[in-house]
Amino acid sequence: MSKKDGITWETFADGLWRDNPVLVMLLGLCPTLAVSNSAINSLSMGLATTFVLISSGALISLLRRFIPRQVRIATYIVIIATFVTMVDYTIQAISLDLYNALGAFIQLIVVNCIILGRAEAYASKNPLGKTVVNALGMGTGFTLALFTLGAIREILGAGSLFGVDLFGPSFEPWVVMILPPGGFIVLSLMLLAFNFINARAGRKIEQSEGCSHAA
Amino acid sequence: MQPDSLIFIFLNAALMNNFVLALFLGLCPFLGVSGKLETAVPMGLATSFVMLVSSLCAYVINLILVRYDIEFLRLIAYIAVIASAVQLVEMTMKKYTPGLFRSLGIFLPLITTNCAILGLALFQTFKHYDFFQSVVYALGAGAGFTLAIALMAGLREKLDLSDVPGIAKGAALSLMLGGLLSLSFMGFAGLGGAH
């Protein structure tokens, strides 16, 4: 922790719980729900998004004095799209199975509101070190939420975790959980649990609807 | 039905693989602008229009990209086109329907980052649709999106009158509704098989 940048534990930890991008800000729900039908898919999606979040945040933070205000959104989008293209080709090279499972959703990281939202709200105003730490926190928070959702859906819907059978042959899989409705329902229950815990802790969290944070 | 016939493509995009309820695209406006029916329907129509414009542009751009063998620029080219199309819709609305423009607020420029639109452009490229198929696909996706957001708005207008526990208010309840809607849309899968 360096004093100069004012990096504190909160810079990192805000993204984990208090400002969790999925559970509090409700950003980036589309990839969250679409690829969370198994633990491995959601984990790799989370990591890919974290990489784009950190690298685009770092570049935008470095360039923040040179980007004219009027065209900043377009500039951010082009920077983000460049990193996403890199991730897209990398995943294709590492594992074709994973690439096919995630489908167009890797390329759709471009329009994930978390990334543009952080670029606009944080990276464009803060120095490099702080931005990277914050992006790491946000990415970890996103990955954790995504992984929890994916793991719950895979355990209930297929009776396995990371493809390893958990309950033996007598378990009747709850197939609806890995189908689209399951995504909505499990995330809704996660939000309920999250709100419940926060209500117990006596904290009030203002939940925003949709991506209004991004702009 | 033939899998590449126009009517199949339309129904597939609108019902069986509804962009919002089956493919999880465009959830932000689906949750954010579905509070009232009178803003939800125009939002759906505006999104449909942007879908149509960007689908046409994406088709032409893809031809050029393939011709010069520079497909790695696809993502950047598509997003630039979509951003311009949204700007066009925004200016038109501001001029002719200023009231509506204000009520949609921030969600109008955010159509740019609506994944349904980029998703549509990418899917039609991956599926190698020709010109007419692309247009029909865009129309179907737009119709499906408008249908989903209008249904959601109707349900939420009714829910406003009911008493729900504090922790369930807002997003959690909307998502649960989305789950139920999605469940009922799965019934359409029987029309011609998923995917």
Side-chain angles (χ1 to χ4, degrees), chain B residues 16-94:
Chain B
M16 281 100 89
N17 282 313
N18 185 290
F19 266 57
V20 181
L21 297 169
L23 301 178
F24 298 116
L25 295 168
L27 286 178
C28 303
F30 178 67
L31 295 174
V33 202
S34 60
K36 281 208 202 87
L37 206 52
E38 62 201 61
T39 47
V41 174
M43 183 65 188
L45 294 178
T47 309
S48 308
F49 178 73
V50 178
M51 276 179 172
L52 190 61
V53 174
S54 41
S55 160
L56 292 176
C57 300
Y59 179 77
V60 176
I61 288 176
N62 194 45
L63 284 184
I64 301 171
L65 292 182
V66 171
R67 171 84 175 70
Y68 292 102
D69 213 13
I70 44 172
E71 281 114 323
F72 60 89
L73 286 178
R74 185 182 286 147
L75 208 50
I76 298 177
Y78 280 7
I79 201 84
V81 165
I82 292 169
S84 332
V86 171
Q87 200 82 53
L88 192 73
V89 173
E90 210 182 329
M91 287 190 306
T92 321
M93 273 196 154
K94 203 172 181 176

Side-chain angles (χ1 to χ4, degrees), chain A residues 26-31 33-35 77-78 81-82 84-85 89 99 103-108 110-113 116 153 176 179-185 187-189 191-192 195-196 199 207-215, chain B residues 20-32 34 71-76 79-80 106-107 110 112-116 118-119 122-123 126 156 166-176 178-180 182-184 186:
Chain A
L26 297 180
L27 295 179
L29 286 184
C30 311
L33 289 168
V35 300
I77 286 273
V78 171
T82 313
V84 172
T85 310
Y89 280 84
Y99 181 78
F105 278 94
I106 305 170
Q107 304 204 4
L108 285 175
V110 179
V111 283
N112 188 327
C113 358
L116 194 62
R153 287 180 70 187
V176 72
L179 293 174
F184 281 112
I185 292 169
L187 183 63
S188 163
L189 295 177
L191 280 177
L192 276 181
N195 289 349
F196 181 69
Q207 225 150 31
S208 66
E209 292 254 317
C211 299
S212 45
H213 269 270
Chain B
V20 181
L21 297 169
L23 301 178
F24 298 116
L25 295 168
L27 286 178
C28 303
F30 178 67
L31 295 174
S34 60
E71 281 114 323
F72 60 89
L73 286 178
R74 185 182 286 147
L75 208 50
I76 298 177
I79 201 84
I106 187 64
F107 284 97
L110 281 180
T112 314
T113 50
N114 183 336
C115 27
L118 185 63
L122 290 173
F123 285 145
F126 293 154
R156 282 182 61 181
I167 53 165
K169 274 203 180 104
L173 194 63
S174 311
L175 278 170
M176 191 53 89
L180 295 178
S182 166
L183 206 55
S184 53
M186 273 178 62

Side-chain angles (χ1 to χ4, degrees), chain A residues 1-173:
Chain A
M1 282 187 231
S2 87
K3 274 223 176 77
K4 206 183 97 211
D5 285 337
I7 300 173
T8 58
W9 171 243
E10 274 74 39
T11 315
F12 175 73
D14 268 0
L16 294 185
W17 186 271
R18 204 175 62 85
D19 280 337
N20 187 294
V22 177
L23 298 174
V24 180
M25 303 202 280
L26 297 180
L27 295 179
L29 286 184
C30 311
T32 308
L33 289 168
V35 300
S36 63
N37 51 5
S38 76
I40 183 76
N41 283 358
S42 52
L43 193 60
S44 31
M45 186 67 188
L47 292 179
T49 309
T50 308
F51 169 76
V52 177
L53 202 54
I54 294 174
S55 42
S56 64
L59 193 59
I60 289 168
S61 172
L62 284 176
L63 293 174
R64 70 186 187 282
R65 295 185 208 291
F66 305 104
I67 299 174
R69 270 196 71 76
Q70 294 84 355
V71 293
R72 66 186 193 287
I73 300 285
T75 319
Y76 299 161
I77 286 273
V78 171
I79 291 174
I80 295 167
T82 313
F83 284 111
V84 172
T85 310
M86 278 164 59
V87 171
D88 187 52
Y89 280 84
T90 313
I91 294 184
Q92 204 170 354
I94 296 173
S95 163
L96 200 58
D97 286 339
L98 191 61
Y99 181 78
N100 290 332
L102 294 178
F105 278 94
I106 305 170
Q107 304 204 4
L108 285 175
I109 296 178
V110 179
V111 283
N112 188 327
C113 358
I114 297 175
I115 297 172
L116 194 62
R118 290 327 282 174
E120 168 76 8
Y122 208 92
S124 60
K125 298 187 186 94
N126 286 291
L128 179 65
K130 228 173 151 182
T131 305
V132 170
V133 174
N134 183 269
L136 191 65
M138 283 285 160
T140 317
F142 179 72
T143 311
L144 274 179
L146 201 59
F147 176 69
T148 316
L149 186 61
I152 295 177
R153 287 180 70 187
E154 194 184 339
I155 291 172
L156 291 178
S160 60
L161 189 61
F162 289 113
V164 181
D165 206 5
L166 290 180
F167 301 119
S170 58
F171 179 74
E172 185 66 44

